[in-house]
Amino acid sequence: MALGSPMFRKLLLTALLLIMVTVVMLDLLLSRYTVSRERSRTQSHLATEAAILAGEAEALTVGGLAAWTRTAAQRAECRVTFIDPGGVVLADSEADAAAMDNHADRPEVAEALKGRRGESIRRSESVGRELVYVAVPVTVEGRGGYVLRLAVPLHQVNTAVAEVRRRLAEASLVAGLLALGIAYLWSRMLTNRIARVKDFAERLAQAQFAGTLPPGPDDELGQLARSLNSTAQQLRDVMESLRLESARREAILAGMVEGVLAVDHELTVTFCNQAFARAVGARYPVPERLPVLELMRDPSFLELLSRILVSGEPRQQRLQLAAAEGHSFRVQASPLDLKSGRGAIAILHDVTDLERLERVRRDFVANVSHELRTPLAAIQGYAETLLNGALEDSDNNRKFLEIIKAHAVRLNQISSDLLALSQIESDLSVPPLERVRLREVIDAAVRSVEAEAGLRGVAVHHRGEAVDGTVLASIVGLEQVLVNLLDNAVKFNRPGGEVWIETGTEEDGTTRIVVADNGIGIPSEDLPRIFERFYRVDKARSRAVGGTGLGLSIVKHAIERMNGRITVESQLGRGSRFTVLLPAG
Amino acid sequence: MRHFIEELDDLQAELLAMAGLVEQGVHEGVLSVTGRDPERARRVLMNEARINQMEIRIDEMVTRLLALNQPMARDLRFLTAAIKINNDLERMGDLAVNIVERALSLARQEPVNPEIDMPRMGRLVESMVRSSLDAFVRRDTHLARTVLAADDAVDDQRNIICKELVAFMERNPATISRALDLLLVARSLERIADHATNIAEDVLFLVQGIDVRHHSETRG
């Protein structure tokens, strides 16, 4: 990887450029130096040789010059030329002396003719090469003025320069290889570190905040790594607090009593809490990306959501859901701006209890005025009739007065029932509970309805194994309860009907007293409401049998004050069954 | 052209939207009888035209999907089930209309109080309708079988109500026309339950590829 990386190439190029510049400069310097050194070395060598040969030449004769010149050239390994004082070449080791022109004008020869050593470097016309010349004055056969000239070609100098250049090339090759290696190692180290930082930063960008980056040496890269590490730590902290926050919100939403449903612009469920799923009869948790139609099909709710998606205006409405039988809800729906478009969120409040309480209160006021007005109207009417002359009508006056009395009794009964109820409700202190023998209370209660039962042709039985036991109750309260229940069972019955009072013990030890009949029963839609004050299933019949509409309300409150419970089952036309549960004494 | 799978999803959504209207119709129908509420009754009548339009649209969708895609196996079963469920839903819608017509007639007359538990029968039938559609949504064969099992209970309820109403009419001949209205309501409810049973059978066919029609031993 490092070999192909841009970093490596840049480092290598820089190193090679530096090496090249160095080599070129070195070459320039060294070759100049070498050339000048070689020349002066060659010249001084030639000067030494010339001095030696000049000594020998003094013993020569002019006739032996040619032969000596050749041997001297061999010994000194250079070209040797002998010139007479007039500039005429007498002998030459490499050229034909006779063919050579006068050499008196050659700078080194001219110098030597003046009696000094002459030197020059120039191209030879005789041999056609660049030569280094040294000429010295020589005495031959006792006569001075002759010149001995030595010459070597300059190529020896060039060879030396080439040698220097070869060494330089070798050295720069080694340096280049070294630079390659160093650039490779250095770039690999750098690129590895950078790659680690880059990977880490990319992971951060992809929201993977785990792990830390080894910072390495304290250079710029190390500082970068350290600041990335602290960024990652901060991101981790932020993410953690966000996660906690969303988990908390999720828990709050999931645990809310109100149903919460969020949908996106395609009416696909994005959130649904347990309360909502329960209200619509769906399974919880709801599968991901469920179309809302598969969660619930209620047309008015769907229309509400669609309207929100179109208009973006929050709305609310009342809703009854088939799956939550008998419950009513208020839905508040608002638009929800999502990235994908406008969604909606709906919050479902169960307002069943609220509505029921409201209705009970409303009905109570209506009922109580109705219950009071009927006897009062009768009393007023008959009293007016009497005053308008009926008082003297001996056939009717007594009858009218009895009707007035009956209605007054009824008013009295209603007000004492209301009083009893309000006492029970307002008196929070529990009445003294005592061990009450069931047999005694039941016998007393049965006795008090016997006359009514006989009139209506209804038989009252009692049976059960727990009848000899005791319960923890108030004796007056329990008798009141049983009389009320038995009274209802007898009155809402048919001639020849039967009423049972059964006792038994529940698994948890509480005592069960059941008052059952095979009378007319209670319609299922009325069952939840029969314990309400003045609630009557069949108003005409109830009044005809002399009920105030408060009996069961009193029963329920009295039992609750004795720490008991009452439940009812009934089937229309088959009879009813009230079950009282009381702690055993 | 949209993708076949997406079109199947659209078809299911359309069926469920129609089912929602039908369920609402049955619910409101029962309430309009027991609550003597002509207002509710009129709301159901208003939805009938919508249900009929949806039936036609669903039929067109299924026909087009069958013609263009030649579906196999499960998809084919889904489309045939969709045709049948569509038909059952439309019939249930009509029966809900029959019920509200009786409710309107009853609301115009003096109330009668025979000892029948119409709300109970209504709840039972409504829960069958709901369960059959939930079974269709979730492809839940277990739930579908509970619908098949509940059909007998509805028949029992209808018989009890009929017997009581006949006795009531004998006792009070003046109430015959009102009692007959109630009898027709019970009969419509019972037939709605039959259509819910059909839907449950279609769900079993859709999921398992088995046909449980006319085999009483597989019921329950």
Side-chain angles (χ1 to χ4, degrees):
Chain A
M1 181 197 73
L3 282 175
S5 82
M7 173 78 69
F8 168 72
R9 281 205 299 270
K10 279 178 194 157
L11 273 171
L12 187 64
L13 265 176
T14 314
L16 289 182
L17 202 70
L18 272 176
I19 290 168
M20 234 153 77
V21 170
T22 315
V23 165
V24 167
M25 286 174 67
L26 267 178
D27 177 63
L28 277 173
L29 284 172
L30 278 179
S31 40
R32 260 179 207 215
Y33 169 72
T34 311
V35 166
S36 69
R37 201 195 58 189
E38 278 302 311
R39 279 182 185 169
S40 59
R41 206 172 57 84
T42 310
Q43 278 170 346
S44 69
H45 170 74
L46 281 183
T48 315
E49 289 289 332
I52 296 166
L53 288 180
E56 279 182 26
E58 285 179 17
L60 290 180
T61 59
V62 174
L65 273 181
W68 179 80
T69 301
R70 272 192 299 276
T71 57
Q74 270 168 11
R75 279 184 283 133
E77 294 179 347
C78 57
R79 177 180 166 201
V80 179
T81 314
F82 224 99
I83 303 161
D84 77 354
V88 176
V89 178
L90 296 176
D92 189 287
S93 62
E94 284 176 28
D96 181 12
M100 290 165 73
D101 53 3
N102 190 309
H103 270 52
D105 58 339
R106 303 294 196 273
E108 73 280 356
V109 177
E111 201 65 23
L113 285 175
K114 288 175 193 158
R116 290 190 295 269
R117 195 177 74 204
E119 296 173 354
S120 88
I121 298 169
R122 55 180 175 76
R123 195 169 178 78
S124 152
E125 285 167 18
S126 319
V127 292
R129 282 188 302 185
E130 205 170 17
L131 296 173
V132 179
Y133 295 97
V134 172
V136 289
V138 187
T139 309
V140 179
E141 295 172 354
R143 188 175 158 235
Y146 290 88
V147 173
L148 174 66
R149 191 184 69 167
L150 302 188
V152 286
L154 202 57
H155 78 264
Q156 283 176 355
V157 175
N158 290 342
T159 312
V161 171
E163 173 68 14
V164 167
R165 286 205 169 139
R166 194 175 58 79
R167 295 258 168 93
L168 259 180
E170 278 168 11
S172 50
L173 185 69
V174 170
L177 282 174
L178 267 173
L180 185 76
I182 288 168
Y184 173 74
L185 287 176
W186 181 241
S187 74
R188 196 175 67 162
M189 200 183 77
L190 262 181
T191 48
N192 279 354
R193 284 178 66 196
I194 290 171
R196 273 202 299 274
V197 172
K198 190 186 78 159
D199 288 350
F200 190 73
E202 276 170 0
R203 279 210 308 279
L204 283 188
Q206 287 159 11
Q208 298 170 352
F209 307 126
T212 52
L213 197 59
D218 190 15
D219 51 11
E220 285 85 343
L221 263 181
Q223 284 159 15
L224 178 61
R226 262 185 282 274
S227 65
L228 273 180
N229 274 339
S230 78
T231 306
Q233 182 60 43
Q234 275 166 19
L235 283 173
R236 269 199 297 273
D237 292 348
V238 169
M239 284 308 281
E240 180 62 16
S241 63
L242 275 179
R243 204 182 57 75
L244 274 178
E245 180 63 28
S246 93
R248 196 160 59 212
R249 282 190 196 169
E250 195 103 323
I252 290 170
L253 283 175
M256 261 167 74
V257 182
E258 285 82 16
V260 179
L261 176 81
V263 295
D264 67 8
H265 64 290
E266 290 180 312
L267 284 178
T268 303
V269 176
T270 53
F271 177 83
C272 173
N273 74 353
Q274 194 165 8
F276 195 95
R278 201 185 311 119
V280 300
R283 285 182 193 150
Y284 184 82
V286 170
E288 292 269 313
R289 305 213 45 79
L290 187 75
V292 83
L293 261 169
E294 296 190 10
L295 184 69
M296 60 183 307
R297 295 178 292 272
D298 188 89
S300 47
F301 184 74
L302 291 170
E303 198 183 316
L304 174 73
L305 288 183
S306 317
R307 278 191 185 184
I308 301 264
L309 292 187
V310 174
S311 72
E313 301 280 322
R315 301 175 79 92
Q316 58 171 305
Q317 71 175 53
R318 240 182 119 268
L319 188 68
Q320 286 203 306
L321 295 174
E325 179 66 47
H327 283 250
S328 23
F329 298 93
R330 206 178 69 238
V331 196
Q332 269 178 305
S334 333
L336 192 64
D337 283 319
L338 303 169
K339 240 187 294 179
S340 54
R342 184 189 289 144
I345 186 162
I347 297 172
L348 205 59
H349 304 269
D350 190 334
V351 292
T352 316
D353 287 345
L354 221 66
E355 288 192 343
R356 193 179 55 78
L357 281 176
E358 177 64 20
R359 195 183 55 223
V360 166
R361 200 181 53 79
R362 213 171 42 232
D363 289 359
F364 175 71
V365 174
N367 282 328
V368 80
S369 31
H370 180 78
E371 295 293 331
L372 295 174
R373 214 173 51 216
T374 316
L376 279 173
I379 289 170
Q380 194 185 1
Y382 283 105
E384 279 170 359
T385 314
L386 283 170
L387 285 173
N388 289 343
L391 202 57
E392 278 75 37
D393 180 358
S394 53
D395 288 344
N396 287 319
N397 55 4
R398 191 173 177 81
K399 201 173 91 193
F400 287 175
L401 281 172
E402 276 180 2
I403 292 172
I404 290 176
K405 185 192 170 217
H407 282 288
V409 166
R410 181 163 172 73
L411 273 178
N412 190 37
Q413 201 183 348
I414 291 173
S415 54
S416 60
D417 272 5
L418 271 176
L419 206 62
L421 191 61
S422 85
Q423 247 171 14
I424 292 173
E425 278 185 347
S426 61
D427 184 8
L428 296 173
S429 68
V430 179
L433 297 182
E434 52 192 321
R435 289 180 162 216
V436 177
R437 295 172 59 82
L438 272 182
R439 185 184 293 277
E440 281 173 21
V441 195
I442 289 172
D443 282 348
V446 170
R447 261 199 309 279
S448 61
V449 298
E450 253 170 4
E452 182 83 33
L455 278 177
R456 292 174 182 273
V458 174
V460 181
H461 317 282
H462 93 248
R463 63 184 180 211
E465 78 276 14
V467 75
D468 290 322
T470 55
V471 290
L472 206 59
S474 133
I475 188 159
V476 183
L478 184 55
E479 196 177 322
Q480 193 182 24
V481 164
L482 292 181
V483 168
N484 263 312
L485 290 176
L486 285 170
D487 195 46
N488 281 346
V490 167
K491 283 176 178 165
F492 297 98
N493 213 318
R494 286 178 280 237
E498 286 177 290
V499 174
W500 299 271
I501 179 160
E502 293 167 27
T503 49
T505 307
E506 291 286 285
E507 279 173 12
D508 61 359
T510 54
T511 302
R512 181 181 66 234
I513 308 168
V514 177
V515 177
D517 64 72
N518 60 355
I520 59 172
I522 304 165
S524 55
E525 71 258 41
D526 292 317
L527 262 189
R529 301 192 64 187
I530 58 169
F531 293 108
E532 289 173 19
R533 281 170 291 189
F534 291 119
Y535 190 84
R536 286 188 163 110
V537 173
D538 180 345
K539 294 185 171 54
R541 180 158 190 167
S542 168
R543 279 198 201 95
V545 298
T548 58
L550 291 167
L552 284 176
S553 197
I554 292 171
V555 163
K556 186 172 161 71
H557 280 100
I559 288 171
E560 281 170 359
R561 278 162 60 82
M562 293 187 280
N563 306 321
R565 278 187 297 129
I566 181 164
T567 57
V568 60
E569 301 153 57
S570 186
Q571 221 176 340
L572 200 59
R574 299 254 177 103
S576 309
R577 183 182 172 87
F578 288 83
T579 305
V580 176
L581 296 172
L582 282 171
Chain B
M1 199 183 87
R2 299 191 63 197
H3 199 267
F4 180 55
I5 303 286
E6 284 173 8
E7 300 223 31
L8 289 183
D9 287 346
D10 288 351
L11 175 61
Q12 168 143 335
E14 189 75 12
L15 265 177
L16 291 177
M18 178 175 172
L21 284 175
V22 170
E23 275 179 295
Q24 192 187 38
V26 175
H27 181 72
E28 300 274 307
V30 174
L31 283 180
S32 66
V33 172
T34 57
R36 298 175 57 79
D37 187 344
E39 209 37 56
R40 276 185 195 279
R42 290 196 191 94
R43 279 209 295 273
V44 176
L45 293 179
M46 272 162 31
N47 274 338
E48 201 213 350
R50 255 178 95 189
I51 292 177
N52 289 341
Q53 280 168 6
M54 289 175 110
E55 188 210 5
I56 294 169
R57 191 153 72 233
I58 290 170
D59 262 347
E60 283 169 355
M61 283 168 94
V62 174
T63 315
R64 203 163 50 84
L65 286 173
L66 280 173
L68 294 180
N69 296 281
Q70 286 94 36
M72 307 279 283
R74 210 186 149 91
D75 290 339
L76 182 59
R77 288 208 303 276
F78 173 76
L79 288 176
T80 50
I83 296 177
K84 290 193 273 183
I85 291 174
N86 186 25
N87 190 34
D88 281 321
L89 286 174
E90 196 272 336
R91 291 293 308 134
M92 285 155 95
D94 286 351
L95 289 166
V97 168
N98 288 355
I99 291 176
V100 298
E101 279 168 354
R102 294 305 102 210
L104 286 171
S105 153
L106 283 165
R108 282 193 297 270
Q109 307 175 60
E110 280 291 300
V112 282
N113 285 304
E115 291 174 350
I116 56 170
D117 204 340
M118 195 67 88
R120 184 186 163 117
M121 180 166 183
R123 274 200 303 277
L124 191 59
V125 171
E126 277 181 54
S127 86
M128 278 176 74
V129 174
R130 190 166 60 245
S131 297
S132 68
L133 292 167
D134 283 346
F136 172 63
V137 169
R138 302 179 200 152
R139 308 290 194 261
D140 184 340
T141 55
H142 180 74
L143 194 57
R145 284 181 194 279
T146 64
V147 175
L148 300 188
D151 195 35
D152 290 343
V154 170
D155 290 346
D156 287 349
Q157 288 270 314
R158 199 229 14 215
N159 291 338
I160 291 171
I161 288 177
C162 281
K163 217 157 73 185
E164 180 57 39
L165 282 173
V166 169
F168 186 75
M169 286 188 272
E170 282 168 356
R171 284 198 303 275
N172 316 291
T175 62
I176 283 183
S177 87
R178 284 165 282 171
L180 273 179
D181 281 339
L182 288 171
L183 199 66
L184 285 172
V185 170
R187 192 175 133 75
S188 295
L189 280 175
E190 189 264 332
R191 283 172 59 195
I192 289 174
D194 288 344
H195 287 292
T197 311
N198 287 350
I199 292 177
E201 285 166 353
D202 292 338
V203 171
L204 292 179
F205 167 72
L206 169 61
V207 178
Q208 302 177 328
I210 55 167
D211 194 340
V212 292
R213 288 175 300 174
H214 319 303
H215 295 278
S216 58
E217 73 273 13
T218 57
R219 292 199 169 183

